[in-house]
Amino acid sequence: MIIANGTIETKVKTAAGIDPETGYPVRPSDVAWSGPIPCQYSANKYNRLGKVDGEHFTIAEYQILIEDDGRPFEAEQIRLKDRAGNLVGEYSVMQVEPLDAVCEIKIIV
């Protein structure tokens, strides 16, 4: 059982097909977000010390726990929001690990 302090939404891409002239895939035209999934998140790394060419940026890595509903978690990107619904950020999924003993899934972004 998680103690939810936020939600995640997974990015859902719809395929646009194949370009008949080139044979290459066409970029997805529609990108949508799934419904909110309750989660418990905490920062593994978070600092604002990043600097490139005089511009500052934030380095962030989060560990996210969600309930395991029996379906595999296959999202490539997620949107993380806090309990109040404020956007924390949009992240690429780096690692997914099922935690079978507690029926949860650990996601590292």
Side-chain angles (χ1 to χ4, degrees):
M1 179 174 91
I2 63 168
I3 300 171
N5 62 353
T7 60
I8 62 169
E9 299 168 357
T10 61
K11 193 175 222 179
V12 180
K13 299 176 187 176
T14 55
I18 304 291
D19 186 341
E21 293 180 15
T22 64
Y24 290 107
V26 178
R27 295 194 76 170
S29 56
D30 292 333
V31 175
W33 295 95
S34 72
I37 302 167
C39 72
Q40 178 181 349
Y41 72 94
S42 61
N44 283 350
K45 294 179 188 174
Y46 188 88
N47 71 52
R48 297 175 183 239
L49 299 177
K51 191 173 184 180
V52 173
D53 294 330
E55 297 292 324
H56 293 276
F57 64 94
T58 301
I59 299 168
E61 179 182 301
Y62 291 95
Q63 173 180 293
I64 302 168
L65 297 173
I66 61 172
E67 296 287 339
D68 187 357
D69 61 359
R71 294 179 291 174
F73 185 85
E74 297 178 342
E76 296 176 4
Q77 294 177 305
I78 64 159
R79 181 163 58 185
L80 177 62
K81 293 184 177 181
D82 65 11
R83 183 178 299 150
N86 299 317
L87 181 65
V88 175
E90 294 180 13
Y91 303 100
S92 294
V93 174
M94 294 190 308
Q95 179 182 1
V96 176
E97 179 183 347
L99 304 175
D100 295 329
V102 290
C103 296
E104 295 176 356
I105 296 174
K106 179 171 77 170
I107 305 162
I108 304 292
V109 297

